[in-house]
Amino acid sequence: MSKALIISSICLALLYASCKNGKSRKPVIRDTSITAVTSFNNLFFDSTRLSAFLKNHSQYENFTAQFHDFYKDRNYAYAWFDSTGLAEQALNFNNLQQNYITSFSDSSIYNPLLDSLLQSIQQNNPKRKPAESQVLETELLLTGQFFQYAAKVYKGSDIDASELGWFIPRKKIDVHALLDSAILYKSAEAYAPQNSQYRRLQEFVQKYSRLSKETGFDSIPALPKSLRKGDSAEVIVTIKKHLELLGDLSSNDGSPTFDTTLVLATKKYQQRMGLTVDGIIGNKMIAELNVPMKQRLRQILINLERLRWMPPEKDTNYILVNIPEFMMHVYDSGKLQFNINVIVGTSANSTVIFNDKLQYIVFSPYWNVPESIVRGEILPGIKKNPNYLAKHNMEIVKSGTVPVIRQNPGGANSLGLVKFLFPNNYNIYFHDTPNRNLFSQSSRSFSHGCIRVGEPKKLAQYLLRTDSSWTSQKIDSAMHLKKEKWVPLKKSIPVFIVYFTAWVDQNGQLNFRKDIYKHDEKMAVKLFR
């Protein structure tokens, strides 16, 4: 490829990648500077042939503009062929597409005509060279398939995410720019979809597809009592078989004895399932082991779909809260710094899935009691006990049929000693809590919708780390004031509140969690109908 064409392609890729969502692009002008001399091959076709192709292949109708723009940029030079025949990038893309179809059992983008043409061309019989019309048909089919593949795998299924409670804006893609990259860089890895989490989770699709056909997963009966190290029972033989197939048990002696190896396997499995990690097998663990592998496979596919919606990964600072995991992950320059246990909303008061920017820390906060709680809890409490407000360190700010009530700062304040604000339409924020004992629970959905933070001081120290005046002592003091103190951050930090029930952790271990808000159930109806 000529240097001029490489530079031109890079500039085009950057141009399209930087386009603002929702804004129309300028019309693409045919680049007549690309000729047989400046291009990497001498294969060109007449523009009228593209229009005829699109007329006969209605499955690519939604990509008509992308087709024309892509080939105008190239002055209608072939992209998938060169003077020697089928180019490397064509084989790379076809392998990528076939792997997707096989791994996900998704034949919706399979094109038998393209498959037949590629097989015929790859036979490379010198006495029967493919006709020019076959080559062009293959060229344009590869482009159309790339557009379909990219739209499906990068963007995801045509689902209204907001119907499923997901309010993080879905990622926008430019299939034209992706195709530029595919042709320019040739390697499939250069434009592999999504982020590192997507790729790590995708690696488990084939394994769980295989496990879903495995015959060794006999149902495990409920236990009359928990099993511990040293116990002996026939059910242990079945449990060991399950853990061996899943990869948690390194070696299976087939005995009914609860030995040290089984303790280690049990702890590993409990960690992956979000259970209490104690090495004791109880009925909660048995329930997880009895989840059918077909259901686990669907769980992986559902979460891969969600990952397609996520914005691209960036090497920046951000906070991510995964609701089913009950965990906050804090990233600095794209690298995980630490995790903090959190408490999220109950199923009746579910925490909203969205993203925003954290802008303020409020030390010693007032709690402005929501009207629903005033009606449902406080007013009935006042009727029973006239000293209810004083007992709970509350005061009426504004009288009325439903008075405006707030709780003053202090150790008993429902928001604890500090809150973290990222102003949003859902009235969701992070805050401390006086009920510290709840963080020891393995399942932590107890709040009215906001997110309670297990280590609020640690989070405050991290957010204020660039300001040397905010010492540990100063933060402690600010958390025990009589009036609240607002501290704006010098630089806001993105916050993502997400919902993933399957993911791969930093140690490469596949994790599953319960579908506490039934979002997976609703999504399964959309994906697997």
Side-chain angles (χ1 to χ4, degrees), residues 197-198 200-202 204-205 208 272-273 295-307 322-325 498-505 509-515 520:
Q197 178 58 224
Y198 181 96
R200 290 198 295 268
L201 185 57
Q202 185 182 19
F204 284 90
V205 172
Y208 273 76
R272 296 196 302 110
M273 298 297 131
Q295 185 174 326
R296 290 298 190 202
L297 177 60
R298 281 196 166 196
Q299 204 171 345
I300 292 171
L301 296 176
I302 285 168
N303 285 277
L304 281 169
E305 178 68 18
R306 290 192 181 111
L307 282 164
N322 187 17
I323 295 170
E325 186 186 7
V498 298
Y499 192 93
F500 291 107
T501 59
W503 72 93
V504 180
D505 63 27
Q509 298 298 316
L510 177 61
N511 283 245
F512 291 106
R513 294 296 187 274
K514 290 188 178 301
D515 181 22
D520 281 12

Side-chain angles (χ1 to χ4, degrees), residues 53 57 59-60 67 71 80 93 97 111-115 117 134-148:
F53 171 85
H57 294 274
Q59 70 266 36
Y60 303 131
F67 259 103
Y71 283 107
W80 304 99
F93 166 63
Q97 178 180 239
N111 190 312
L113 175 58
L114 174 61
D115 202 34
L117 286 169
Q134 277 187 310
V135 174
L136 181 57
E137 182 88 348
T138 307
E139 162 76 21
L140 298 178
L141 283 171
L142 279 165
T143 299
Q145 287 302 114
F146 184 93
F147 288 154
Q148 280 196 333

